[in-house]
Amino acid sequence: MQLPDLHILNAGAWQSDRASGRTPPRVVAKFELERYRLGCGTSFVDQKPHALAPGSLIFVRPGQVRYSQLPFCSDFIYFEIAQDTDAFCRLRSAIPTVQPARCAARTEWLFAQIAQLFSAPEAHALQMHALLLELLDEMVPAGAPEPRPPVPHTAEVNRAIAQMHARLGEPLRIPQLAAELGYSAPHFTSFFRAVTGVSPGEYFGLIKIQEAKRLLLTTEYTTAEIAERLGFSSASYFCSVFRRRTGHSPGAFAQRSHRNEYEP
Protein backbone atom coordinates (compact mmCIF):
# COMPACT_ATOMS: atom_id res chain seq x y z
CA MET A 1 0.00 0.00 0.00
CA GLN A 2 1.30 3.46 -0.87
CA LEU A 3 1.93 5.46 2.30
CA PRO A 4 1.06 9.14 2.76
CA ASP A 5 3.85 11.69 3.14
CA LEU A 6 3.28 13.12 6.64
CA HIS A 7 5.28 15.91 8.26
CA ILE A 8 5.11 16.27 12.05
CA LEU A 9 5.36 19.99 12.80
CA ASN A 10 5.31 19.93 16.59
CA ALA A 11 4.90 17.42 19.43
CA GLY A 12 5.02 17.70 23.20
CA ALA A 13 2.87 18.49 26.22
CA TRP A 14 0.87 21.56 27.22
CA GLN A 15 -0.72 22.62 30.48
CA SER A 16 -2.95 25.64 30.97
CA ASP A 17 -1.58 28.26 33.36
CA ARG A 18 -5.05 29.43 34.36
CA ALA A 19 -7.76 27.67 36.34
CA SER A 20 -10.58 29.16 34.28
CA GLY A 21 -11.29 31.07 31.10
CA ARG A 22 -11.20 30.23 27.41
CA THR A 23 -8.59 30.09 24.72
CA PRO A 24 -9.32 32.44 21.79
CA PRO A 25 -11.17 30.90 18.84
CA ARG A 26 -9.03 30.10 15.81
CA VAL A 27 -9.27 28.40 12.46
CA VAL A 28 -7.11 25.27 12.56
CA ALA A 29 -4.38 25.31 9.89
CA LYS A 30 -2.93 21.79 10.32
CA PHE A 31 -4.10 18.44 11.70
CA GLU A 32 -4.17 18.55 15.51
CA LEU A 33 -4.10 15.39 17.59
CA GLU A 34 -4.29 15.59 21.40
CA ARG A 35 -4.54 13.24 24.38
CA TYR A 36 -5.83 14.72 27.60
CA ARG A 37 -3.96 13.78 30.76
CA LEU A 38 -5.99 15.85 33.18
CA GLY A 39 -8.90 18.13 32.63
CA CYS A 40 -12.32 19.28 33.58
CA GLY A 41 -12.74 21.73 30.73
CA THR A 42 -14.43 21.57 27.36
CA SER A 43 -13.13 21.82 23.81
CA PHE A 44 -15.39 23.37 21.16
CA VAL A 45 -14.90 22.25 17.55
CA ASP A 46 -17.12 24.05 15.05
CA GLN A 47 -19.22 25.17 18.03
CA LYS A 48 -19.86 21.59 19.21
CA PRO A 49 -18.74 21.06 22.85
CA HIS A 50 -16.63 18.04 23.83
CA ALA A 51 -15.89 17.28 27.50
CA LEU A 52 -12.16 16.85 28.21
CA ALA A 53 -12.09 13.67 30.28
CA PRO A 54 -8.67 12.28 31.25
CA GLY A 55 -7.49 9.85 28.57
CA SER A 56 -9.78 11.17 25.86
CA LEU A 57 -8.43 11.85 22.38
CA ILE A 58 -9.31 14.71 20.04
CA PHE A 59 -8.61 14.93 16.30
CA VAL A 60 -9.16 18.30 14.62
CA ARG A 61 -8.91 18.86 10.87
CA PRO A 62 -7.67 21.91 8.95
CA GLY A 63 -10.39 24.49 8.44
CA GLN A 64 -12.31 23.67 11.62
CA VAL A 65 -12.77 26.40 14.24
CA ARG A 66 -11.89 25.53 17.82
CA TYR A 67 -11.41 26.97 21.28
CA SER A 68 -11.27 25.40 24.73
CA GLN A 69 -12.59 25.98 28.22
CA LEU A 70 -9.78 25.79 30.78
CA PRO A 71 -8.19 24.08 32.65
CA PHE A 72 -6.62 21.04 31.01
CA CYS A 73 -3.30 19.31 30.41
CA SER A 74 -2.61 17.44 27.18
CA ASP A 75 -0.08 15.73 24.95
CA PHE A 76 -0.22 17.04 21.39
CA ILE A 77 0.97 16.28 17.87
CA TYR A 78 0.48 18.69 14.97
CA PHE A 79 1.10 17.41 11.45
CA GLU A 80 0.45 18.13 7.78
CA ILE A 81 0.09 15.96 4.70
CA ALA A 82 2.46 16.64 1.83
CA GLN A 83 1.32 13.66 -0.25
CA ASP A 84 -2.05 12.00 0.39
CA THR A 85 -3.37 8.55 -0.55
CA ASP A 86 -6.87 7.09 -0.90
CA ALA A 87 -6.21 4.64 1.94
CA PHE A 88 -5.17 7.42 4.30
CA CYS A 89 -8.23 9.47 3.35
CA ARG A 90 -10.40 6.52 4.37
CA LEU A 91 -8.49 6.10 7.63
CA ARG A 92 -8.98 9.76 8.57
CA SER A 93 -12.67 9.69 7.70
CA ALA A 94 -13.19 6.85 10.21
CA ILE A 95 -11.71 8.81 13.15
CA PRO A 96 -14.25 10.75 15.24
CA THR A 97 -13.45 14.20 16.61
CA VAL A 98 -13.39 13.02 20.24
CA GLN A 99 -13.34 9.54 21.76
CA PRO A 100 -11.87 7.59 24.68
CA ALA A 101 -8.57 5.83 23.98
CA ARG A 102 -9.08 2.27 22.71
CA CYS A 103 -5.93 1.16 24.53
CA ALA A 104 -4.91 3.89 26.98
CA ALA A 105 -1.44 2.52 27.77
CA ARG A 106 -0.52 2.02 24.11
CA THR A 107 -1.81 5.46 23.14
CA GLU A 108 0.11 7.14 25.96
CA TRP A 109 3.30 5.34 24.87
CA LEU A 110 2.87 6.40 21.24
CA PHE A 111 2.42 10.06 22.17
CA ALA A 112 5.46 9.89 24.45
CA GLN A 113 7.64 8.21 21.83
CA ILE A 114 6.77 10.73 19.12
CA ALA A 115 7.40 13.66 21.49
CA GLN A 116 10.78 12.20 22.47
CA LEU A 117 11.84 11.59 18.86
CA PHE A 118 10.72 15.09 17.86
CA SER A 119 13.73 16.49 19.73
CA ALA A 120 15.73 15.40 16.66
CA PRO A 121 13.08 15.24 13.93
CA GLU A 122 15.38 14.90 10.91
CA ALA A 123 17.15 11.89 12.38
CA HIS A 124 13.91 10.13 13.34
CA ALA A 125 11.51 11.20 10.56
CA LEU A 126 10.74 7.68 9.32
CA GLN A 127 10.22 6.29 12.81
CA MET A 128 7.91 9.16 13.77
CA HIS A 129 6.01 8.65 10.51
CA ALA A 130 5.39 4.97 11.35
CA LEU A 131 4.38 5.73 14.94
CA LEU A 132 1.96 8.45 13.84
CA LEU A 133 0.27 6.07 11.39
CA GLU A 134 -0.04 3.49 14.18
CA LEU A 135 -1.49 6.11 16.51
CA LEU A 136 -4.09 7.19 13.97
CA ASP A 137 -5.00 3.58 13.34
CA GLU A 138 -5.49 3.16 17.11
CA MET A 139 -8.01 6.03 16.97
CA VAL A 140 -10.38 4.20 14.64
CA PRO A 141 -13.13 2.96 16.98
CA ALA A 142 -13.43 -0.78 17.50
CA GLY A 143 -16.29 -2.16 15.44
CA ALA A 144 -16.29 0.80 13.07
CA PRO A 145 -17.91 -0.15 9.76
CA GLU A 146 -15.64 -0.87 6.85
CA PRO A 147 -15.00 2.37 4.98
CA ARG A 148 -16.60 2.71 1.58
CA PRO A 149 -14.42 1.98 -1.44
CA PRO A 150 -12.37 5.02 -2.39
CA VAL A 151 -13.78 7.44 -4.93
CA PRO A 152 -11.46 7.42 -7.96
CA HIS A 153 -9.00 10.34 -8.15
CA THR A 154 -9.24 11.22 -4.43
CA ALA A 155 -5.45 11.55 -4.15
CA GLU A 156 -5.32 13.79 -7.24
CA VAL A 157 -8.04 16.00 -5.78
CA ASN A 158 -6.10 16.33 -2.53
CA ARG A 159 -3.03 17.39 -4.51
CA ALA A 160 -5.15 19.96 -6.34
CA ILE A 161 -6.48 21.28 -3.04
CA ALA A 162 -2.93 21.62 -1.71
CA GLN A 163 -2.06 23.70 -4.79
CA MET A 164 -5.14 25.85 -4.23
CA HIS A 165 -4.02 26.56 -0.66
CA ALA A 166 -0.58 27.55 -1.96
CA ARG A 167 -2.11 29.99 -4.49
CA LEU A 168 -4.87 31.68 -2.52
CA GLY A 169 -3.75 35.13 -3.67
CA GLU A 170 -3.86 34.21 -7.36
CA PRO A 171 -6.73 33.65 -9.80
CA LEU A 172 -7.73 29.99 -10.12
CA ARG A 173 -6.56 28.76 -13.52
CA ILE A 174 -8.27 25.41 -13.93
CA PRO A 175 -6.61 24.41 -17.23
CA GLN A 176 -3.16 25.02 -15.69
CA LEU A 177 -4.01 23.13 -12.50
CA ALA A 178 -5.48 20.22 -14.48
CA ALA A 179 -2.42 20.06 -16.73
CA GLU A 180 -0.10 19.93 -13.72
CA LEU A 181 -1.99 16.82 -12.60
CA GLY A 182 -1.90 15.33 -16.08
CA TYR A 183 -5.57 15.76 -17.02
CA SER A 184 -7.71 17.88 -19.29
CA ALA A 185 -9.72 20.67 -17.68
CA PRO A 186 -13.13 19.01 -18.30
CA HIS A 187 -11.97 15.65 -16.93
CA PHE A 188 -10.36 17.30 -13.89
CA THR A 189 -13.49 19.36 -13.16
CA SER A 190 -15.66 16.25 -13.46
CA PHE A 191 -13.74 14.09 -10.99
CA PHE A 192 -13.12 17.02 -8.63
CA ARG A 193 -16.89 17.49 -8.32
CA ALA A 194 -17.37 13.73 -7.88
CA VAL A 195 -14.97 13.70 -4.92
CA THR A 196 -15.88 16.98 -3.20
CA GLY A 197 -19.46 17.61 -4.32
CA VAL A 198 -18.60 21.07 -5.67
CA SER A 199 -16.69 22.52 -8.61
CA PRO A 200 -13.03 23.59 -8.29
CA GLY A 201 -14.11 27.23 -8.40
CA GLU A 202 -16.65 26.78 -5.61
CA TYR A 203 -14.10 24.92 -3.47
CA PHE A 204 -11.47 27.61 -4.06
CA GLY A 205 -13.97 30.22 -2.87
CA LEU A 206 -14.67 28.20 0.29
CA ILE A 207 -11.01 27.88 1.29
CA LYS A 208 -10.45 31.58 0.60
CA ILE A 209 -13.15 32.37 3.15
CA GLN A 210 -11.62 29.91 5.63
CA GLU A 211 -8.26 31.65 5.23
CA ALA A 212 -9.97 35.02 5.66
CA LYS A 213 -11.45 33.78 8.95
CA ARG A 214 -8.00 32.69 10.11
CA LEU A 215 -6.47 36.06 9.26
CA LEU A 216 -9.30 37.91 11.00
CA LEU A 217 -8.82 35.82 14.16
CA THR A 218 -5.03 35.70 14.33
CA THR A 219 -3.63 38.86 12.70
CA GLU A 220 -4.06 42.62 12.76
CA TYR A 221 -4.57 42.88 9.00
CA THR A 222 -7.24 45.30 7.84
CA THR A 223 -10.11 44.18 5.65
CA ALA A 224 -8.40 45.79 2.66
CA GLU A 225 -5.13 43.98 3.38
CA ILE A 226 -6.89 40.60 3.67
CA ALA A 227 -8.77 41.26 0.43
CA GLU A 228 -5.47 42.00 -1.33
CA ARG A 229 -3.68 38.95 0.15
CA LEU A 230 -6.49 36.66 -1.02
CA GLY A 231 -6.72 38.09 -4.52
CA PHE A 232 -10.08 39.85 -4.28
CA SER A 233 -10.49 42.76 -6.69
CA SER A 234 -11.49 45.16 -3.91
CA ALA A 235 -12.23 45.31 -0.19
CA SER A 236 -15.92 45.92 -0.88
CA TYR A 237 -16.15 42.82 -3.08
CA PHE A 238 -14.39 40.76 -0.39
CA CYS A 239 -16.84 42.01 2.24
CA SER A 240 -19.77 41.14 -0.03
CA VAL A 241 -18.50 37.59 -0.62
CA PHE A 242 -17.65 37.09 3.05
CA ARG A 243 -21.13 38.21 4.17
CA ARG A 244 -22.79 35.96 1.59
CA ARG A 245 -20.77 32.95 2.75
CA THR A 246 -20.94 33.50 6.52
CA GLY A 247 -23.91 35.76 7.22
CA HIS A 248 -21.62 38.37 8.85
CA SER A 249 -19.35 41.15 7.71
CA PRO A 250 -15.63 40.55 8.36
CA GLY A 251 -15.64 43.07 11.21
CA ALA A 252 -18.71 41.57 12.87
CA PHE A 253 -17.24 38.06 12.53
CA ALA A 254 -14.03 39.15 14.28
CA GLN A 255 -15.90 40.91 17.09
CA ARG A 256 -18.24 37.98 17.74
CA SER A 257 -15.32 35.54 17.69
CA HIS A 258 -13.29 37.50 20.22
CA ARG A 259 -16.36 37.42 22.48
CA ASN A 260 -16.56 33.61 21.92
CA GLU A 261 -19.82 34.02 20.04
CA TYR A 262 -18.62 32.54 16.78
CA GLU A 263 -21.24 30.89 14.63
CA PRO A 264 -19.99 28.86 11.67
Side-chain angles (χ1 to χ4, degrees):
M1 179 185 72
Q2 182 185 5
L3 295 177
D5 183 6
L6 307 178
H7 294 169
I8 295 179
L9 305 174
N10 201 0
W14 187 88
Q15 182 167 354
S16 56
D17 57 4
R18 291 180 291 158
S20 62
R22 282 183 175 179
T23 60
R26 59 189 175 85
V27 179
V28 172
K30 307 298 182 185
F31 290 94
E32 300 186 357
L33 180 58
E34 298 174 5
R35 184 189 76 88
Y36 291 94
R37 301 181 183 181
L38 302 170
C40 55
T42 304
S43 186
F44 294 81
V45 179
D46 287 342
Q47 284 297 90
K48 184 176 181 179
H50 302 279
L52 303 181
S56 60
L57 305 170
I58 187 167
F59 183 46
V60 188
R61 281 84 168 168
Q64 293 187 297
V65 176
R66 70 173 302 198
Y67 58 90
S68 298
Q69 181 76 43
L70 305 175
F72 61 85
C73 173
S74 68
D75 301 310
F76 67 87
I77 299 167
Y78 299 160
F79 69 95
E80 64 182 358
I81 303 172
Q83 181 72 41
D84 211 349
T85 67
D86 290 340
F88 191 59
C89 288
R90 298 198 303 277
L91 174 66
R92 295 199 309 274
S93 68
I95 300 175
T97 300
V98 174
Q99 63 169 320
R102 203 168 70 190
C103 177
R106 182 64 179 171
T107 301
E108 181 178 3
W109 183 85
L110 288 167
F111 268 97
Q113 284 294 108
I114 292 172
Q116 180 178 340
L117 294 171
F118 189 75
S119 60
E122 293 184 2
H124 302 295
L126 290 177
Q127 190 175 355
M128 288 194 300
H129 185 283
L131 291 171
L132 178 56
L133 287 174
E134 182 180 348
L135 177 57
L136 291 167
D137 187 61
E138 283 284 329
M139 293 185 67
V140 176
E146 285 294 318
R148 292 175 295 177
V151 178
H153 301 298
T154 298
E156 289 93 333
V157 167
N158 284 323
R159 289 200 294 273
I161 290 171
Q163 288 300 314
M164 290 181 183
H165 278 283
R167 304 171 184 175
L168 285 175
E170 306 171 15
L172 178 64
R173 298 180 176 90
I174 293 176
Q176 176 186 339
L177 185 56
E180 290 172 1
L181 295 171
Y183 297 95
S184 67
H187 188 195
F188 166 70
T189 300
S190 176
F191 69 65
F192 190 99
R193 185 183 291 276
V195 172
T196 67
V198 297
S199 70
E202 290 172 305
Y203 196 95
F204 192 56
L206 289 171
I207 62 175
K208 276 194 174 191
I209 294 302
Q210 286 299 107
E211 176 65 5
K213 290 179 180 179
R214 187 188 71 81
L215 293 172
L216 287 165
L217 293 176
T218 62
T219 74
E220 298 298 322
Y221 290 135
T222 65
T223 299
E225 288 171 330
I226 293 174
E228 182 178 1
R229 288 177 67 89
L230 296 179
F232 287 92
S233 58
S234 67
S236 60
Y237 179 60
F238 164 63
C239 291
S240 174
V241 173
F242 191 94
R243 183 185 293 275
R244 186 170 68 248
R245 294 279 192 180
T246 69
H248 306 292
S249 70
F253 170 84
Q255 290 175 1
R256 292 171 66 90
S257 297
H258 290 308
R259 294 197 305 265
N260 292 326
E261 297 176 0
Y262 172 79
E263 295 176 3

